[in-house]
Amino acid sequence: MYICLEGIDGSGKSTQIELLVKWLDDCGIDVLMVFEPTESPAGKLIREMLQNPNATKNNFQNTLALLFAADRIILMDEIEEAEKAGKIVISDRCFYSSMVYQNDGDWINKINKFAKRPDLVLLLDIDPETAISRCEGKDNFEDIEFLIKIRKRYLEIADKQDFMVVNAKNGLNKVHDDIKRVVARKLGMCI
Ligand code: TYD
């Protein structure tokens, strides 16, 4: 089972993933936590490029799309192995981040031919103003106009692909409970 959390920067994804993984762990479930960009050489290059002031421009986005796809393909082996071993894989971002951030559906689909689509995607939805106030000084995707566009695309794709949308503006515990409920249902657990 491959479960992914998506959301704009500052949606609280990383914190919620930590809480989710800890909870699954406490329930005795074998979990592998992964994140994109990874720590592969491609992932490192991506993080460096994200610091560039031109990061939101088109040519940059196309280059990034290729790098994200390359980085993702490497991660697929690890995910497949974990799934074979019966683990639940929890991922901070996946293929859908590229669909939303790099935004060229057909091409993104093509270059991500080898990337597995998750069994469940949770979208942590939040307004960009609140998100930005949570992540000042991190990278160049914090431009408000850009995040407004990204959020809109997330909500559109969520509708088409049946993502579970969680209101990430609620308090930490409420968001965690909402995520737990969705994941428990998917895994057939009683909570
Ligand atoms: P993020 O999850 O925010 O990493 P960190 O917690 O280290 O800041 O991801 C970094 C950025 O990469 C984020 O702004 C979204 C972007 N991104 C894409 O544009 N396309 C992708 O395919 C992925 C996986 C991430």
Side-chain angles (χ1 to χ4, degrees):
M1 176 82 60
Y2 173 26
I3 297 174
C4 171
L5 269 77
E6 286 283 353
I8 61 173
D9 310 81
S11 58
K13 230 173 358 80
S14 310
T15 309
Q16 288 298 334
I17 284 176
E18 266 177 44
L19 292 173
L20 173 64
V21 167
K22 184 175 184 310
W23 171 67
L24 288 169
D25 231 28
D26 291 346
C27 292
I29 292 173
D30 214 354
V31 189
L32 172 72
M33 187 181 110
V34 295
F35 49 88
E36 293 186 28
T38 73
E39 281 172 339
S40 75
K44 288 191 181 124
L45 183 53
I46 289 169
R47 287 185 195 284
E48 204 179 299
M49 288 184 70
L50 286 173
Q51 301 301 318
N52 192 300
N54 292 319
T56 57
K57 300 221 170 100
N58 276 350
N59 282 338
F60 238 91
Q61 287 298 314
N62 295 336
T63 309
L64 280 170
L66 292 165
L67 287 171
F68 278 119
D71 185 43
R72 186 168 296 127
I73 292 172
I74 298 167
L75 181 64
M76 288 304 125
D77 285 346
E78 199 184 334
I79 291 179
E80 220 165 85
E81 240 171 70
E83 284 189 296
K84 269 196 204 131
K87 293 186 187 177
I88 304 297
V89 180
I90 304 291
S91 184
D92 187 334
R93 300 193 182 279
C94 60
F95 155 76
Y96 290 110
S97 279
S98 284
M99 287 296 274
V100 167
Y101 281 79
Q102 279 71 48
N103 190 35
D104 179 345
D106 288 347
W107 185 59
I108 297 293
N109 251 312
K110 261 188 207 143
I111 61 176
N112 282 279
K113 179 179 163 193
F114 301 108
K116 191 174 151 52
R117 287 10 176 196
D119 302 295
L120 171 67
V121 181
L122 291 108
L123 171 63
L124 300 197
D125 179 52
I126 194 160
D127 62 280
E129 290 82 1
T130 309
I132 277 188
S133 71
R134 288 180 178 181
C135 69
E136 257 165 292
K138 267 184 64 194
D139 56 43
N140 287 299
F141 280 179
E142 288 157 24
D143 178 281
I144 185 99
E145 299 305 322
F146 185 71
L147 286 188
I148 290 171
K149 258 195 305 191
I150 297 295
R151 183 196 194 192
K152 189 164 165 273
R153 286 186 206 142
Y154 260 131
L155 290 171
E156 282 165 6
I157 214 166
D159 200 40
K160 282 195 212 132
Q161 302 290 338
D162 279 336
F163 292 177
M164 296 304 303
V165 182
V166 173
N167 182 353
K169 213 180 168 173
N170 287 326
L172 195 98
N173 292 333
K174 165 85 173 103
V175 178
H176 178 50
D177 285 348
D178 289 347
I179 292 174
K180 266 183 358 190
R181 203 169 314 118
V182 173
V183 171
R185 199 187 315 134
K186 186 75 183 176
L187 298 181
M189 296 160 70
C190 296
I191 54 168

